[in-house]
Amino acid sequence: MEPAGAAADPYAGEGWREILGQGRWAPFLLICFGIWLHAADGLIVVTTIPAIVADIGGLAWTGWTFALYQVASIVAASLGGLAALRFGIGRATAGASAVFTIGCALDALAPDMGLFLIGRLVQGLGGGVMVALFHVAVTRAFPERHWTRIFAWVSAVWGVSALVGPLIGGLFAEAGLWRDAYWAFAAQALLVTICSPFLFSNVAGAPQGLELRVPWRALAALVPGVLGIAVASVVDSAGLAVLSVAVGAGFLALFFYFDRREHSPLLPERSLSEVPVRFGLLMVLCFAVATISFSVYGPLLLAQLHHVSLILAGYLIAIESVAWSVTAMMVGWVRPKGEPLCIKLGASVIALGLLGFALSVPHGPIWAIALSAALQGGGFGLAWAFIARRVAAGAIAAERERAAGALPTTQMLSYAIGAALAAIIANSLGLELATPPDRLQTIGFWIFFAFLPLTLPGFRAAWRLAR
């Protein structure tokens, strides 16, 4: 006999024992571990690259160690929904993590920068598919009433990984063992390869009878589109960066055109007419593009304008990840009736953090910069799990996998676009190796303030999503 009120409130009396019951603890652990793997490995290069260049050379190509990983991750993540439909979560995750393992091994063995870059590309391919698959896995392994709490944990793990990954890389690099850092990630990825078919065995499989085809035309446009955007963030000339973004945008327009006409589209084309999917992805697009500048240019501006050590600059940037994780955990238990407030409040706090950066980075004080980082990260933490739940739940049933996979794809692509636009702004204002302080202050203002107009469509999307 059900307790009083249980039928009226499906959330009544539910704790982690209920959420992770019936064997759901296994996919939960694997999802969290896989998110850690992708997020931490994506940033480990930040602190290992000095040791890598000292060992194998290739200083001129260091910008590509992160850019290639991001390009491959974005393209591969777009395939996550189709991979889940074609192979099932377990087999698709095993294949993606095997590719990731090979990429880590290539980096660990690299005798020169050429092979190291190939390894980063392969890691991005495997990691991008994995992160999309894990978002799909949440919607298959757990009842819809639990999605918000699981997505909150995924968000928190991502934030912690972004903090811990570079620290681990720095420890290996300082010990002269940078290759062992990549062997360590290869071993972890191999563990995912072995375990995923078993730990995802109880996850609902793909619908039977689906005829899926690889959307080659859409992929052929997506690859140069993402690459063009990424190139803009690593070239020194503002003119070349603008040209690169224009070419990339043209190919992305072709991608959207072709994808709508594919037999098996990468995007949830029919679901984009649904309010939660359309405005959830638009909100992520606007705020992700607008908020990447501090991660890209924060260390340089903090070191040259405020004379802080690189370690302290790293901690200041890490505040954003910590705030994201903490707030995500705090709101993970909010009931559906509280979701609209969290989404609107998250958007407002993100915009406040962005404005804080524009005012504090050029002139300080340091505590104001730290507060702005906490606001920006905390805003995302407040809203992210609810955005993810509403996007996945709002899609039509046949496109739920594509919608769930589209969220991390949109996030990563938006960060790449934001980094490219920030590079155009910085280079057009005269950013150099030895930039005068007054010019740095100007750059420090505009690479944040110029993105504030993007918060307006972001706000509109947030308010529509929250209805």
Side-chain angles (χ1 to χ4, degrees):
M1 184 175 180
E2 290 185 351
D9 185 1
Y11 295 84
E14 287 194 353
W16 281 110
R17 180 176 296 181
E18 163 67 21
I19 294 172
L20 301 182
Q22 302 178 15
R24 290 191 288 262
W25 62 270
F28 173 76
L29 291 179
L30 190 58
I31 288 168
C32 290
F33 186 72
I35 291 294
W36 142 261
L37 195 62
H38 174 72
D41 181 77
L43 293 173
I44 193 176
V45 72
V46 173
T47 47
T48 56
I49 196 63
I52 293 169
V53 170
D55 186 14
I56 64 176
L59 178 62
W61 295 93
T62 54
W64 286 99
T65 59
F66 185 72
L68 281 179
Y69 185 92
Q70 287 297 97
V71 169
S73 293
I74 294 166
V75 173
S78 69
L79 292 167
L82 284 183
L85 289 169
R86 174 65 178 85
F87 301 105
I89 296 292
R91 288 200 306 165
T93 302
S97 56
V99 172
F100 190 90
T101 303
I102 294 171
C104 292
L106 288 175
D107 278 351
L109 295 169
D112 53 45
M113 184 57 74
L115 186 58
F116 186 85
L117 291 176
I118 293 174
R120 291 295 290 172
L121 181 68
V122 174
Q123 286 175 62
L125 291 173
V129 175
M130 278 199 302
V131 74
L133 286 171
F134 291 137
H135 280 73
V136 175
V138 172
T139 66
R140 285 198 183 172
F142 298 90
E144 184 177 335
R145 66 182 184 276
H146 296 157
W147 289 358
T148 296
R149 297 169 191 177
I150 303 303
F151 278 127
W153 266 88
V154 167
S155 183
V157 170
W158 189 289
V160 171
S161 303
L163 167 65
V164 175
L167 295 178
I168 291 177
L171 292 175
F172 275 100
E174 286 186 3
L177 302 171
W178 70 266
R179 294 180 186 274
D180 290 342
Y182 292 93
W183 282 124
F185 277 92
Q188 294 173 74
L190 183 60
L191 183 63
V192 174
T193 303
I194 295 170
C195 293
S196 55
F198 304 101
L199 297 186
F200 280 145
S201 59
N202 293 328
V203 176
Q208 299 298 313
L210 289 178
E211 183 185 354
L212 300 174
R213 304 171 188 169
V214 178
W216 292 113
R217 290 189 306 168
L219 283 174
L222 179 61
V223 172
V226 176
L227 187 61
I229 298 296
V231 166
S233 64
V234 296
V235 297
D236 295 329
S237 167
L240 287 177
V242 171
L243 177 61
S244 181
V245 168
V247 171
F251 275 106
L252 287 179
L254 280 177
F255 161 72
F256 290 119
Y257 175 82
F258 287 139
D259 194 58
R260 284 196 298 269
R261 290 158 177 78
E262 294 284 2
H263 178 273
S264 303
L266 296 173
L267 298 176
E269 296 292 348
R270 287 180 291 166
S271 296
L272 288 175
S273 62
E274 302 293 330
V275 167
V277 178
R278 182 168 73 254
F279 287 105
L281 295 179
L282 178 61
M283 180 181 175
V284 171
L285 173 69
C286 293
F287 284 111
V289 169
T291 56
I292 193 62
S293 295
F294 188 60
S295 296
V296 176
Y297 289 102
L300 173 67
L301 294 172
L302 289 168
Q304 295 195 18
L305 281 176
H306 305 287
H307 310 292
V308 303
S309 67
L310 290 178
I311 294 177
L312 179 56
Y315 282 127
L316 287 169
I317 292 172
I319 289 174
E320 185 173 347
S321 297
V322 173
W324 187 322
S325 298
V326 171
T327 53
M329 296 297 298
M330 290 173 60
V331 301
W333 296 89
V334 170
R335 304 279 180 93
K337 64 182 180 182
E339 290 185 9
L341 176 61
C342 288
I343 293 172
K344 294 176 182 178
L345 184 60
S348 303
V349 172
I350 292 170
L352 188 59
L354 181 61
L355 177 61
F357 278 135
L359 299 176
S360 62
V361 168
H363 305 287
I366 294 297
W367 66 262
I369 298 174
L371 177 60
S372 300
L375 289 171
Q376 188 165 281
F380 275 108
L382 282 170
W384 189 262
F386 307 113
I387 299 172
R389 190 199 71 77
R390 293 194 172 209
V391 167
I396 63 175
E399 293 189 333
R400 183 158 288 171
E401 290 81 5
R402 293 181 177 91
L407 189 67
T409 306
T410 301
Q411 181 192 21
M412 289 187 285
L413 177 59
S414 302
Y415 282 149
I417 294 172
L421 295 178
I424 291 173
I425 295 170
N427 290 330
S428 64
L429 292 174
L431 181 65
E432 301 170 345
L433 288 176
T435 308
D438 58 338
R439 193 185 303 168
L440 276 177
Q441 289 174 340
T442 301
I443 293 170
F445 172 78
W446 282 109
I447 62 170
F448 300 106
F449 191 81
F451 288 103
L452 276 173
L454 266 179
T455 63
L456 298 179
F459 278 130
R460 179 175 182 272
W463 259 250
R464 290 296 304 274
L465 177 65
R467 286 183 179 177

